[in-house]
Amino acid sequence: MSSLSVSESVDRLQVQGHLQYDTPDHITPSNLHPSPLEQFHIWFNDARNANVREPDAMSLSTATASGIPSSRMVLFKQLDKRGFVFYTNYTSRKSRELEENPQAALLFFWREMSRQVRVLGTVEKLSKEENEEYFKSRPVGTQLGAWASKQSSVVGEDVLASRLAKFVEQFGVQTSDKDGDVPLPDFWGGWRVIPREVEFWLGKPSRLHDRVRYLRVAGSPEDQPRWIVDRLSP
């Protein structure tokens, strides 16, 4: 049963109260790693070891060229020396918005640990070689799904199943197959978010949360950035 107190009327839903965070540890600029990418690596492994459900789930926010925002949950797939990687259809709404406005925000929320990580940065597409390598590692069913779905477009009731059947026949594989030769679609691949700001958040009582922000030093190399690290007010 939720701990929320909710009052409802014909024209209003009002929420009062919330779970009080009570984490025993604290974070400060002095006890986190100098690199936010290394610190993310530490926290991500902490989340895995704490059996957080779907620690790889993250909110991705994009915006049109005129600034209209949209958000959705996607799966984090890789952290490298440049940034955070996810994969999608290059004709989807998120990709169209990233083409128009190559800025993105990511948010990880690990509820079981009362931790958040927020990332802001510019984006770049992955190379075809990187896309090929990852696509080949995916289950056959999801490889076929990438071909079948015209992501973010309006679709009729039976169209998706018909398109899937078409590619099952074309490539001579089944969604349940463990191996198969399904090529990489030219409209599918990865995006990398190159961070210029990363914030680590730890829930504390009375909403006096711990917040530590990393800002990339302007002009520092993207593959070896320097960072200014500050504590923020909750």
Side-chain angles (χ1 to χ4, degrees):
M1 186 69 177
S2 172
S3 60
L4 296 179
S5 173
V6 178
S7 62
E8 299 181 63
S9 63
V10 173
D11 59 354
R12 185 173 66 173
L13 174 67
Q14 184 172 358
V15 178
Q16 298 173 330
H18 186 66
L19 174 72
Q20 284 292 321
Y21 300 107
D22 192 19
T23 51
D25 46 340
H26 286 273
I27 57 171
T28 69
S30 63
N31 67 13
L32 296 185
H33 198 283
S35 163
L37 301 186
E38 292 296 336
Q39 184 59 47
F40 179 86
H41 195 162
I42 293 168
W43 268 27
F44 188 77
N45 281 336
D46 287 348
R48 291 174 57 228
N49 293 333
N51 294 318
V52 168
R53 185 176 183 181
E54 290 192 299
D56 52 341
M58 63 183 185
S59 170
L60 165 68
S61 296
T62 57
T64 64
S66 59
I68 299 173
S70 61
S71 299
R72 75 288 288 159
M73 299 302 295
V74 300
L75 294 179
F76 159 67
K77 285 299 179 183
Q78 179 179 301
L79 175 69
D80 57 31
K81 64 182 179 180
R82 290 178 62 79
F84 300 79
V85 171
F86 66 93
Y87 292 86
T88 189
N89 187 307
Y90 282 148
T91 67
S92 65
R93 176 175 177 172
K94 67 179 83 65
S95 288
R96 294 196 305 270
E97 292 182 355
L98 291 172
E99 293 276 8
E100 291 180 22
N101 182 1
Q103 311 287 331
L106 307 175
L107 177 65
F108 296 82
F109 177 47
W110 298 318
R111 179 181 181 277
E112 296 88 338
M113 305 180 72
S114 302
R115 290 180 176 183
Q116 296 184 53
V117 182
R118 186 175 60 86
V119 180
L120 297 176
T122 56
V123 300
E124 64 181 14
K125 283 184 175 178
L126 270 62
S127 67
K128 184 175 181 180
E129 291 73 23
E130 289 173 297
N131 290 338
E132 287 271 11
E133 181 181 2
Y134 175 70
F135 190 77
K136 289 178 180 178
S137 74
R138 287 162 60 93
V140 171
T142 54
Q143 292 177 344
L144 290 167
W147 279 95
S149 175
K150 295 182 178 180
Q151 196 173 105
S152 301
S153 63
V154 177
V155 63
E157 188 69 30
D158 299 320
V159 172
L160 191 58
S162 296
R163 286 182 56 81
L164 180 59
K166 168 189 170 182
F167 291 113
V168 164
E169 180 178 0
Q170 179 175 330
F171 299 128
V173 294
Q174 299 293 323
T175 57
S176 59
D177 289 351
K178 294 189 179 299
D179 297 296
D181 187 16
V182 179
L184 170 72
D186 60 7
F187 53 80
W188 191 95
W191 289 95
R192 178 182 288 109
V193 179
I194 303 168
R196 64 175 177 271
E197 178 180 341
V198 183
E199 180 186 329
F200 293 84
W201 178 100
L202 182 66
K204 306 301 291 183
S206 303
R207 299 295 180 266
L208 298 176
H209 311 305
D210 288 349
R211 299 175 62 191
V212 175
R213 181 191 63 189
Y214 296 72
L215 289 179
R216 182 192 294 269
V217 175
S220 62
E222 288 185 343
D223 56 352
Q224 289 185 321
R226 299 189 307 277
W227 300 91
I228 298 170
V229 189
D230 291 304
R231 179 170 181 148
L232 300 181
S233 297

